Amino acid sequence: MKEELMERAAALPKVELHLHFEGGAPPAFIRGLAKEKHVDLSGIFNADGSYAYRDFWHFLSVYEAATQVLQTPEDFARLTRAVLEESAASGVIYSETFLSPEFCGGGDVAAWREYLHAIREAADAAERDLGIVLRGIVTPIRHFGPERAKRSALCAAETADDWLVGLGLAGDEKQCKPRDFAYCFDMAREAGLRLTAHAGEWGGPDSVRDAIADLGVERIGHGVRAIEDPALVERIAEDGIVLEVCPGSNVFLGIYPTLARHPIARLRDAGVKVTVSTDDPPFFHTTMKKEYTDLAQTFGWDAETLSDITRTAAEAAFCDAATKESLLKRLETA
Ligand code: ADE
Ligand code: ZN
């Protein structure tokens, strides 16, 4: 019976809203680029070739070290293909990814346009070949500070369109407050971008409240620690704020000891709009297929429940109405 649930979960079409672009880079891909470019990255890999880090904060520095080999628009075009091949192999038909101008030209708008162009061309090719649709969310990095974030937000505002659809906020949640980035989010909102921010991953319920109040976001990256405050859970449910939940990431990084103890099911039961994503899949030894099958196995979620979560993600996607309609249609007919 469980086997059948898991097989059906694996085969379902999937929608992912929370995927860090460089965090999706397969380690072999990064090693290959390092070899080509004669960059010594040996310190960031385990003997078995996987990424090596001790904890979340070390993960952030390993992540940044890996980006050293992503030096040109062409490198990002190749990364686009590598990431989308992995996602498509898991059955993902639509993905929103966090892009950081910091890693794509250092926050310079003209350079950013070139990177973005290369990524979009590669995404268009992947859409034709693999049937997966990609959209981008510019994501300043919190621990780089508000001034650098403003440069990224400006890149976002200057390139906002039907492909570059949102602004996010990632990085070390313990550094700076959401209000330090209010200027960036105000600029993005003015430019017509949709808004999300990481909160309630390493910070408690207050970090979620602050992201909602100070940044006006309609989605929260993670947000799972809202569970520690029942009044906040009620409010999120009432306001229809969507959580981009990454269960495998949370368990791998030790926020929860096991998936069974993860609050995703309790949040859903409380009426919160939960969605499922991988965050940084090769870093956390996960895939969208694994996320869905693990949820089926742990919570006994059947195809109907998982499809409902996928539909929630499609409805919460930041893409334009026509793209969303065709996405919902693909889910319906699958
Ligand atoms: N950057 C990449 N992955 C992240 C995560 N899970 N939280 C915050 N920043 C990140
Ligand atoms: Zn994340």
Side-chain angles (χ1 to χ4, degrees):
M1 177 63 189
K2 265 215 164 135
E3 304 296 293
E4 202 184 308
L5 273 185
M6 287 168 66
E7 262 171 46
R8 293 204 58 196
L12 288 171
K14 301 170 182 73
V15 171
E16 176 155 50
L17 300 181
H18 189 120
L19 172 68
H20 298 264
F21 205 45
E22 303 82 7
F29 173 82
I30 293 294
R31 264 199 311 282
L33 274 185
K35 201 167 171 202
E36 274 176 36
K37 293 170 189 286
H38 309 288
V39 177
D40 180 12
L41 283 184
S42 50
I44 70 164
F45 297 109
N46 290 310
D48 67 1
S50 60
Y51 290 113
Y53 57 92
R54 292 181 300 277
D55 56 23
F56 175 68
W57 293 272
H58 189 211
F59 152 75
L60 289 176
S61 73
V62 166
Y63 184 116
E64 282 157 32
T67 66
Q68 282 173 59
V69 300
L70 295 164
Q71 297 168 350
T72 66
E74 171 58 22
D75 295 337
F76 272 86
R78 288 164 70 186
L79 175 65
T80 306
R81 186 71 187 199
V83 169
L84 291 179
E85 278 178 359
E86 292 289 330
S87 296
S90 258
V92 176
I93 60 169
Y94 176 91
S95 180
E96 282 178 12
T97 193
F98 297 127
L99 298 168
S100 299
E102 294 278 3
F103 302 134
C104 300
D108 175 77
V109 176
W112 162 246
R113 283 188 196 281
E114 288 181 26
Y115 281 83
L116 191 57
H117 180 73
I119 294 167
R120 286 185 65 161
E121 274 197 343
D124 286 349
E127 185 173 335
R128 284 193 301 273
D129 302 345
L130 310 168
I132 181 169
V133 175
L134 184 69
R135 293 291 182 266
I137 298 175
V138 161
T139 303
I141 296 164
R142 205 160 158 152
H143 54 272
F144 291 174
E147 286 311 310
R148 284 171 70 177
K150 277 182 198 165
R151 283 167 62 89
S152 286
L154 183 62
C155 287
E158 290 285 333
T159 55
D161 63 6
D162 61 349
W163 196 91
L164 200 284
V165 291
L167 186 81
L169 182 64
D172 183 358
E173 227 185 286
K174 299 217 186 260
Q175 290 188 43
C176 306
K177 291 276 176 212
R179 66 172 171 272
D180 299 329
F181 301 94
Y183 178 93
C184 300
F185 280 72
D186 289 345
M187 179 167 36
R189 190 182 301 106
E190 292 256 315
L193 290 162
R194 311 277 296 272
L195 308 175
T196 177
H198 281 60
E201 179 192 20
W202 297 99
D206 281 350
S207 71
V208 177
R209 283 186 193 283
D210 288 350
I212 296 167
D214 297 337
L215 304 179
V217 293
E218 57 187 292
R219 295 193 334 220
I220 296 277
H222 300 282
V224 286
R225 290 194 53 201
I227 198 72
E228 295 163 29
D229 180 344
L232 178 60
V233 171
E234 206 173 301
R235 187 191 157 195
I236 290 174
E238 261 174 25
D239 291 355
I241 289 179
V242 173
L243 301 189
E244 304 155 6
V245 182
C246 307
S249 160
N250 296 156
V251 173
F252 197 85
L253 290 171
I255 296 172
Y256 300 101
T258 60
L259 185 55
R261 301 271 293 275
H262 190 283
I264 185 168
R266 281 174 284 147
L267 287 163
R268 187 169 184 275
D269 290 346
V272 173
K273 289 185 177 179
V274 300
T275 63
V276 171
S277 293
T278 56
D279 214 6
D280 305 276
F283 281 91
F284 306 139
H285 301 271
T286 190
T287 61
M288 279 294 274
K289 202 176 263 185
K290 183 169 187 305
E291 295 293 333
Y292 272 51
T293 53
D294 285 354
L295 289 165
Q297 182 172 41
T298 304
F299 298 112
W301 284 354
D302 58 13
E304 202 179 312
T305 305
L306 290 165
S307 298
D308 184 57
I309 287 174
T310 309
R311 211 173 311 115
T312 299
E315 280 160 2
F318 287 165
C319 59
D320 59 85
T323 307
K324 189 173 295 196
E325 202 180 308
S326 96
L327 179 57
L328 286 164
K329 221 170 245 150
R330 277 178 79 183
L331 292 177
E332 221 172 87
T333 53

